[in-house]
Amino acid sequence: MLILTYVPTNSDSGRPAATTSRPSLRIPSGGLTLAADAFGDDTDPPVVLLHGGGQTRHSWRRTARALGADGWYTLTVDLRGHGDSDWSPEGDYALDAFADDVLALRRALGRPPVLIGASLGGIASLAAVGRDPDVARGLILVDVSPFLQPRGTGRIMEFMRAAPDGFASVEEAADAVAAYLPHRERPRDPAGLRKNLRFADGRWYWHWDPAFVFPPAAHDPRQRLRTPLAELSAIVTRLRIPTMLVRGGQSDVLGEDDARRFLDLAPHAEYCDVAGAHHMVAGDDNAVFDVRILDFLQRRIRPRLVLGPIG
């Protein structure tokens, strides 16, 4: 059973005003609290959706609704320093810290969920499974593995660092997104982008802690967000839970060779290539992604539930 408490949102506590809807859940993790929304019946088996760096829990909304309607208690969670979750006072965005948060989510649920993580959310999930193999009933990694393309990851970081002074309007932020994602049609109404922005001192800023990409002098984000390749690879070789790797067919972050290397280390894992999708697979082809996820859960996870709860 979830043991959750409400604590003030950033805007309640003097932090930069948030423009997202208030989260339905607040989950403690160490000295921070994580914001989450819940979909479905809380007596159903749990699934936790973790977004990529720079995104928020809202990137999963359509998928979460589909999972909730299909009999899965689904949480979409803002990673630390993102969305309505707390910012780390020390600027601690090391991979170990994100893994700690995944472990805290499992404790709050009281039973192991299926972890579905995109990019940073996937690596954090993998690191958490390495720390505690019983943290998850299944694992789905979305366009991420221990093996990634530096050009693609560098392009992401370049975008995230490109507007430290924010934007004069939501429309200006939408222009930046359109330039970064030219394969997507620019929405006629950019109001939906407000979920990824916060408003402070007359400017619009991306909804993450600036220390995530502009860390304190003692921290290098290239090191903080990266566990040694050998360590992550070793975790993959030890995976025994149902696992699936999802790749965007047009991704510049996870190459086909990267996916093959992952599958060589985890031969039991399933593989799904979403043709035409880029790194943000769920947003690029949400319908196909949802069908593949629901199918995996039905075939690989649902039958195991009759064996009874773990932990």
Side-chain angles (χ1 to χ4, degrees):
M1 188 67 184
L2 283 170
I3 303 175
L4 306 169
T5 58
Y6 171 77
V7 299
T9 62
N10 287 346
S11 57
D12 295 328
S13 58
R15 301 290 295 280
T19 57
T20 60
S21 58
R22 179 165 292 189
S24 58
L25 302 174
R26 284 282 184 169
I27 303 170
S29 178
L32 305 181
T33 57
L34 306 176
D37 287 328
F39 300 79
D41 188 326
D42 65 5
T43 63
D44 287 335
V47 173
V48 173
L49 294 163
L50 298 167
H51 60 77
Q55 297 181 308
T56 70
R57 69 189 190 277
H58 300 290
S59 64
W60 292 113
R61 183 168 294 275
R62 287 180 296 177
T63 297
R65 285 174 174 161
L67 294 177
D70 199 54
W72 301 93
Y73 179 55
T74 306
L75 299 187
T76 61
V77 183
D78 283 334
L79 297 174
R80 63 168 52 210
H82 292 69
D84 292 307
S85 286
D86 286 346
W87 294 0
S88 167
E90 300 82 19
D92 184 6
Y93 298 109
L95 182 56
D96 282 348
F98 287 107
D100 285 342
D101 293 340
V102 176
L103 295 171
L105 292 168
R106 189 262 185 259
R107 289 193 297 272
L109 283 163
R111 58 201 195 277
V114 176
L115 296 173
I116 304 177
S119 199
L120 174 59
I123 289 294
S125 298
L126 181 61
V129 172
R131 299 254 297 273
D132 179 3
D134 294 328
V135 71
R137 192 180 289 276
L139 176 66
I140 300 176
L141 301 176
V142 184
D143 214 62
V144 72
S145 82
F147 317 106
L148 299 172
Q149 295 298 305
R151 181 178 179 181
T153 55
R155 194 172 70 91
I156 293 171
M157 190 58 69
E158 181 180 353
F159 171 77
M160 294 180 68
R161 291 176 172 171
D165 298 322
F167 304 96
S169 65
V170 175
E171 289 74 14
E172 187 177 317
D175 290 339
V177 173
Y180 175 64
L181 301 173
H183 62 282
R184 287 192 188 178
E185 183 178 354
R186 189 185 190 281
R188 293 182 180 179
D189 182 2
L193 192 59
R194 289 172 180 252
K195 294 185 179 71
N196 293 86
L197 296 165
R198 55 186 173 84
F199 187 73
D201 300 324
R203 303 281 291 179
W204 295 90
Y205 298 86
W206 296 122
H207 214 323
W208 62 68
D209 183 354
F212 178 67
V213 290
F214 297 106
H219 299 280
D220 181 344
R222 292 170 298 180
Q223 300 301 321
R224 294 181 307 133
L225 298 181
R226 185 179 302 160
T227 292
L229 178 61
E231 183 177 333
L232 286 176
S233 299
I235 294 172
V236 174
T237 65
R238 298 195 300 268
L239 288 174
R240 297 295 181 267
I241 56 178
T243 301
M244 180 164 69
L245 176 64
V246 179
R247 177 180 177 268
Q250 300 298 316
S251 175
D252 62 352
V253 174
L254 182 70
E256 291 183 0
D257 288 344
D258 300 322
R260 291 191 188 98
R261 293 176 70 186
F262 177 90
L263 295 170
D264 285 343
L265 296 180
H268 77 289
E270 296 190 15
Y271 177 59
C272 170
D273 190 293
V274 182
H278 292 67
H279 181 55
M280 287 182 266
V281 180
D284 285 341
D285 201 332
N286 198 266
V288 172
F289 177 79
D290 291 352
V291 168
R292 298 296 183 89
I293 296 301
L294 288 167
D295 174 69
F296 176 85
L297 294 174
Q298 187 65 30
R299 289 186 298 102
R300 299 296 307 278
I301 304 299
R302 187 78 72 181
R304 291 169 171 253
L305 299 177
V306 300
L307 300 177
I310 301 174

